Amino acid sequence: MAAPLDTVDAIRASFVTREQSASDLVEAALARIAGANGVLGAILTVATDRARARAASLDRAADRDAVGPLAGVPVAIKDNICTAGIRTTAGSRILDGFVPPYDATAVARLERAGAIIVGKTNCDEFAMGSSNEHSAYGPVRNPWDQSRTPGGSSGGSAAAVAARLVPVALGSDTGGSVRQPAGFCGCVGVRPTYGRVSRSGLIAFASSLDQVGVLALTARDAARVLAVVAGADALDSTAATLSVPDWPAALTGDIRGCRVGVARHLLDDGVSREVREATLAAIEVMRARGAVVSDVTLAHAHLSIPVYYLIATAEASSNLARYDGVRYGFRAADARDLRAMYERTRDEGFGAEVKRRIMLGTFVLSAGYREAYYVK
């Protein structure tokens, strides 16, 4: 098995100085995936042909330093983010065999920066789940302990980074689906502010909550990737028009005077002793390095889960209505009429968790209940 990949800066430097070619870097990543993915289940589709063609193109560049800030870096993309010519299933049978004709904006920006797409990562179906056990293509296993979950729904991306299959990966976060698997797998996960990264090409779960995020081995790697994918986009009217700061340059390590709010009341119920102790230890490290630590109270935090489940499921029931067997993806065979085709396609194509959320969302939007739940 090939040696583990290093950080983004080290990989780019090895490519720019011609110590390694992009083809060398891609073959190392493909070897890592071949050696570990059978156990982990982190990668659903290996983009071998696209990765090799892209690497060969980069190797022909006369000035490698001009290729971009991610020159030669292999990356993986969550399977609910569209990639032209590469199967994109969102972890669902209903999209089995779907091949998008275009790249998501975030994917296109990665490639313009010199990155190389090597695979699509496993995820909970339509990003609905917190354990990566709800994929139609099998679970993802935590690389640190294969009897445990990597978290979800971006568990495939987190596991791929933690196992050193790739140094960075894109995920999506609707209610914690980048942050939670990053925590479970011991890597860095960043869910940007809504609108900071274009959602064009991200298969919708809950449109007002979904956001493309980054998983990486280090904060600096995450900052470099975020600086590439962030920014305004004519294809997404919700993308912020704010300028993109130089986040990597801000990572000096000096946090003196930085204000850190700690919601200690959220560490009480439902938090294991080990997690609580690790969190409190991290707070003390920040305090020792000069940060100003203050306790804060989030008075409405107890309402966040019920509000999330109302908004997210309502939007999911609307967004997933398009999967009916007519335009793309799976279609049930031998249906006697159009209605039966709709019913059987959705019954056979969607998994249990997706069906539960569609039904809950339809309920809270239905006549007689919309005012009592959704509008409230």
Side-chain angles (χ1 to χ4, degrees):
M1 187 183 301
L5 296 165
D6 208 337
T7 64
V8 165
D9 286 349
I11 292 170
R12 185 184 186 280
S14 71
F15 170 74
V16 169
T17 60
R18 301 182 182 270
E19 179 183 342
Q20 294 188 85
S21 67
S23 296
D24 293 335
L25 294 164
V26 162
E27 294 305 323
L30 295 176
R32 292 286 299 172
I33 292 169
N37 195 54
V39 174
L40 296 179
I43 307 291
L44 283 183
T45 302
V46 182
T48 305
D49 292 342
R50 176 166 168 166
R52 286 174 173 165
R54 174 71 172 149
S57 175
L58 294 178
D59 286 337
R60 291 192 292 270
D63 182 0
R64 290 190 173 188
D65 192 44
V67 169
L70 302 179
V73 177
V75 300
I77 308 295
K78 186 176 178 179
D79 206 39
N80 64 342
I81 301 173
C82 288
T83 42
I86 305 175
R87 184 182 72 145
T88 300
T89 69
S92 179
R93 290 290 180 196
I94 210 161
L95 280 176
D96 192 24
F98 172 62
V99 178
Y102 65 93
D103 283 326
T105 294
V107 172
R109 289 176 175 174
L110 285 177
E111 288 207 321
R112 283 201 297 270
I116 304 169
I117 312 302
V118 297
K120 302 299 292 292
T121 60
N122 201 351
C123 57
D124 284 309
E125 186 178 4
F126 284 101
M128 298 182 189
S130 300
S131 64
N132 232 134
E133 296 172 292
H134 299 294
S135 169
Y137 305 97
V140 178
R141 292 177 173 82
N142 193 309
W144 297 103
D145 181 347
Q146 292 163 19
S147 69
R148 296 178 184 268
T149 170
S153 63
S154 303
S157 291
V161 170
R164 296 345 191 233
L165 306 186
V166 288
V168 290
L170 292 187
S172 70
D173 192 313
T174 304
S177 287
V178 163
R179 295 160 289 173
Q180 189 235 40
F184 280 25
C185 291
C187 54
V188 176
V190 178
R191 179 231 161 84
T193 303
Y194 183 84
R196 177 54 91 175
V197 178
S198 170
R199 291 183 299 112
S200 177
L202 172 63
I203 295 174
F205 161 16
S207 303
S208 70
L209 302 173
D210 296 341
Q211 183 64 83
V212 173
V214 180
L215 295 113
L217 289 172
T218 69
R220 187 171 299 279
D221 285 357
R224 292 214 183 282
V225 174
L226 184 58
V228 165
V229 300
D233 180 18
L235 299 175
D236 177 10
S237 62
T238 66
T241 57
L242 299 173
S243 62
V244 177
D246 187 352
W247 288 305
L251 295 175
T252 64
D254 184 359
I255 61 171
R256 288 174 295 179
C258 177
R259 298 182 63 195
V260 179
V262 179
R264 293 183 189 272
H265 62 290
L266 298 182
L267 295 175
D268 294 335
D269 297 330
V271 179
S272 70
R273 176 181 55 82
E274 294 87 352
V275 170
R276 183 184 300 107
E277 290 176 353
T279 302
L280 295 175
I283 292 168
E284 292 309 311
V285 169
M286 288 188 284
R287 193 196 306 275
R289 293 191 175 185
V292 179
V293 178
S294 303
D295 286 354
V296 298
T297 299
L298 304 177
H300 299 104
H302 65 288
L303 298 174
S304 60
I305 292 178
V307 168
Y308 167 81
Y309 269 100
L310 286 172
I311 293 173
T313 57
E315 294 184 10
S317 71
S318 176
N319 280 325
L320 271 61
R322 72 192 69 176
Y323 303 105
D324 53 13
V326 175
R327 287 153 288 193
Y328 41 72
F330 170 75
R331 176 185 291 186
D334 303 322
R336 66 182 181 277
D337 55 36
L338 184 63
R339 183 183 180 88
M341 189 273 288
Y342 285 157
E343 291 175 349
R344 286 184 50 193
T345 294
R346 291 170 67 81
D347 181 45
E348 296 172 21
F350 288 136
E353 182 63 22
V354 172
K355 290 176 183 176
R356 280 191 289 268
R357 298 198 189 197
I358 290 174
M359 288 189 289
L360 180 56
T362 303
F363 172 77
V364 302
L365 290 176
S366 62
Y369 296 100
R370 178 185 173 88
E371 296 289 334
Y373 294 104
Y374 184 72
V375 173
K376 178 182 177 181

